[in-house]
Amino acid sequence: MEVSGFLRAAEAQGGFGMVLRKGEPDAGTILLVIVEKQELAVLYERLPQLDGSRKWSISKRQVIDNKQEFEDYLTRRGSQDPDVWIVELTVVESERFVRDCLLGT
């Protein structure tokens, strides 16, 4: 599922999404910031597995004591990789969205 598909999926489940940073259209890494009901954000990315596959995994969680650190991390990732996409999705049920849209891909 590509960026536009994630945006449509969030909208189909009653949420919305926005592209925070555009990356390389064909080969850029996609980072998904998922927020449920304006709570703390969770960052997902497809990470390489031992068997050679790439699985969506949590790579960072926003913490209540230091929300800015999460934003700083996203900024650093964008600076380190000019091809990276950063997409924020606000969803009604993050568990269902992850199960239906990430774990199935």
Side-chain angles (χ1 to χ4, degrees):
M1 187 178 285
E2 298 301 315
V3 171
S4 60
F6 288 122
L7 296 171
R8 285 192 303 271
E11 290 171 6
Q13 292 187 5
F16 62 93
M18 68 179 125
V19 175
L20 301 178
R21 185 180 195 292
K22 282 188 173 187
E24 209 285 321
D26 297 319
T29 299
I30 300 172
L31 304 180
L32 295 177
V33 177
I34 298 183
V35 181
E36 180 179 340
K37 301 175 188 166
Q38 302 303 319
E39 294 183 5
L40 298 174
V42 178
L43 180 65
Y44 286 83
E45 67 179 298
R46 240 180 301 211
L47 298 172
Q49 305 299 302
L50 292 175
D51 64 4
S53 65
R54 294 177 62 80
K55 177 182 164 190
W56 285 100
S57 303
I58 295 173
S59 60
K60 186 129 187 91
R61 291 181 186 271
Q62 191 175 38
V63 293
I64 198 156
D65 295 339
N66 192 356
K67 290 183 176 183
Q68 185 60 44
E69 194 270 336
F70 188 84
E71 300 300 322
D72 294 344
Y73 178 81
L74 294 177
T75 301
R76 277 194 313 276
R77 286 293 303 271
S79 297
Q80 294 167 347
D81 182 358
D83 296 336
V84 73
W85 287 79
I86 302 175
V87 179
E88 183 175 298
L89 304 172
T90 300
V91 297
V92 177
E93 293 179 58
S94 60
E95 218 173 271
R96 183 178 83 167
F97 184 86
V98 168
R99 182 190 65 235
D100 294 350
C101 299
L102 299 186
L103 299 182
T105 60

